[in-house]
Amino acid sequence: MTVSGGTSRFVSKKLRKLRWKPKSDSLQTSTDIFSTGSWDDEVNQVCLWKTTNTGESQLITALDHRGDVTGMCWQTSDILVTASSAGQAQLFKYEHNQLVSSQVWSDLHGSGGASCVATHGETLATAGEDGKVNVINIRQRNPVKVFEKADSCSINDIVFSRSSDILTANMRGQMKLFDLRSNKQEASSIYLLSNDQVSINCLSKHPSQGHIVITGAENGLLAVWDLRQGRHPTTILSAHKSPVSEVKFHPDQPDHIFTCSQGGELWHWNGSSIRSAGVQVSSMNASLDTTSSPWLSSEAVKHKVETTSLVTKQPLPINSVDVLGHSVLFGGDNEAFYILNNIVM
């Protein structure tokens, strides 16, 4: 089965997370291996796939996973980490062209389990519906730091904004910044989407400028934040008509972002169109040079950003999207994954 400009494969499981295996070094231009994690099944799985020269995807490894796969990220090109609705985090190693389970941290979260996971260096962090955040060194059995009451509601997503800072997003429309060097349990900063307490479902950090974050919300809106300035978004973009499932910066070309929605949409946002329009890209109180991000230009974004729908609207939710090079990987509740090649940047 082929979709326009790409390929797809039916896998008989609803997919919650999909991630390209990162490049192993800067000379490598792309990768042909990716991981998928399922949810809402009697037995969920983490699978490793390889795309062949013909464009077909070949299953390399399928491992049973306790609970739904609620979070997934590659810590390095050889280490994959998942979060589970059963309250645990699991580490897998890529060895001899296979994926093998290496370590499990159990009972990290109470009711609802872990909802997300993030990594930085040898550190990983999980957050859950219980409002708790665990910080774990992958070489140690027990968490090195626990924010027992990081939040009073469900935490939906988590990223490392820096090696010493964790940023969480919650169902009340708040982002909270936690300083790992501090002895305090409270957040060092709190950011608010709006007064309506609309849930922030997902967040993505700019690959080279950690103070720039884009979030996707329950009401379909995207918000651009500059963590250095104020407690509210720099820009709010009218996006999907249904909840945003994931938002992703392109790892090498962060003028481009990709979003998918519970309404079955997949969009490519081309921020470089702002630059080409000759719009002055500036932050709220200082002119920035040409290396600055066009996403911080509130006026420009409103009028100059090009948005392209990459697939026809799907009847079921698209839960996850990832991008590497010119290839976009996505999948969801229709029990299939898709790879779109030659995406024009």
Side-chain angles (χ1 to χ4, degrees):
M1 186 167 100
T2 305
V3 291
S4 176
T7 60
S8 67
R9 173 157 171 167
F10 184 72
V11 293
S12 308
K13 287 183 183 295
K14 293 180 184 176
L15 297 177
R16 182 74 171 266
K17 295 292 175 186
L18 304 93
R19 296 288 182 261
W20 285 112
K21 182 177 175 292
K23 297 177 285 191
S24 54
D25 59 56
S26 57
L27 297 176
Q28 190 181 349
T29 55
S30 64
T31 178
D32 54 2
I33 296 174
F34 60 94
S35 56
T36 61
S38 70
W39 78 292
D40 195 28
D41 209 337
E42 286 180 22
V43 180
N44 290 295
Q45 288 186 325
V46 170
C47 295
L48 194 69
W49 304 84
K50 182 180 175 69
T51 57
T52 63
N53 294 336
T54 60
E56 297 299 308
S57 294
Q58 177 185 348
L59 179 63
I60 302 174
T61 311
L63 298 171
D64 290 351
H65 186 270
R66 187 170 161 242
D68 297 341
V69 178
T70 55
M72 174 180 279
C73 53
W74 286 88
Q75 187 147 22
T76 66
S77 59
D78 297 319
I79 295 177
L80 177 71
V81 177
T82 62
S84 162
S85 62
Q88 66 184 35
Q90 191 163 353
L91 186 146
F92 302 86
K93 288 188 176 174
Y94 178 71
E95 295 176 343
H96 311 298
N97 300 320
Q98 294 283 334
L99 201 63
V100 294
S101 178
S102 174
Q103 194 159 340
V104 175
W105 292 270
S106 302
D107 304 320
L108 295 175
H109 296 276
S111 60
S115 52
C116 48
V117 64
T119 62
H120 189 285
E122 291 194 339
T123 307
L124 66 94
T126 66
E129 291 187 17
D130 55 2
K132 184 176 169 185
V133 171
N134 295 284
V135 183
I136 297 166
N137 183 296
I138 62 170
R139 298 183 184 275
Q140 297 180 27
R141 286 299 315 158
N142 297 314
V144 293
K145 195 174 185 74
V146 177
F147 295 92
E148 202 67 53
K149 293 186 172 63
D151 225 313
S152 57
C153 63
S154 178
I155 298 173
N156 295 331
D157 208 354
I158 186 168
V159 295
F160 282 84
S161 60
R162 290 187 300 200
S163 60
S164 58
D165 287 337
I166 284 175
L167 189 67
T168 63
N170 73 18
M171 64 180 293
R172 291 204 185 109
Q174 297 170 318
M175 291 196 306
K176 295 186 177 183
L177 193 69
F178 294 90
D179 185 348
L180 300 185
R181 299 163 301 185
S182 164
N183 292 323
K184 292 181 181 174
Q185 281 281 308
E186 300 81 43
S188 55
S189 299
I190 298 178
Y191 303 86
L192 188 63
L193 180 61
S194 70
N195 295 325
D196 300 335
Q197 294 200 351
V198 175
S199 175
I200 299 177
N201 291 352
C202 52
L203 48 87
S204 182
K205 176 181 69 93
H206 191 288
S208 59
Q209 295 171 280
H211 58 276
I212 301 174
V213 173
I214 293 188
T215 60
E218 187 76 22
N219 59 4
L221 295 181
L222 289 186
V224 185
W225 311 69
D226 184 343
L227 300 183
R228 304 168 304 179
Q229 295 183 9
R231 296 284 176 257
H232 296 278
T234 306
T235 312
I236 291 186
L237 299 170
S238 182
H240 299 279
K241 297 249 185 318
S242 53
V244 182
S245 310
E246 280 193 342
V247 54
K248 278 285 159 73
F249 277 101
H250 191 288
D252 304 317
Q253 300 182 59
D255 284 4
H256 299 263
I257 61 171
F258 296 81
T259 58
C260 61
S261 80
Q262 293 293 291
E265 297 164 315
L266 178 72
W267 289 359
H268 170 203
W269 302 69
N270 181 359
S272 62
S273 56
I274 301 167
R275 295 189 195 280
S276 59
V279 175
Q280 178 67 36
V281 176
S282 64
S283 68
M284 288 153 77
N285 63 5
S287 284
L288 302 177
D289 57 56
T290 53
T291 61
S292 69
S293 173
W295 301 111
L296 295 183
S297 171
S298 54
E299 283 309 304
V301 170
K302 285 175 191 166
H303 307 293
K304 304 294 183 188
V305 63
E306 289 174 11
T307 311
T308 308
S309 173
L310 295 179
V311 291
T312 52
K313 194 168 179 287
Q314 305 290 301
L316 292 170
I318 298 176
N319 296 324
S320 188
V321 60
D322 200 20
V323 58
L324 194 66
H326 289 278
S327 298
V328 172
L329 170 71
F330 68 98
D333 283 359
N334 67 347
E335 304 188 358
F337 61 73
Y338 303 82
I339 301 171
L340 302 179
N341 297 307
N342 307 317
I343 297 292
V344 178
M345 300 296 174

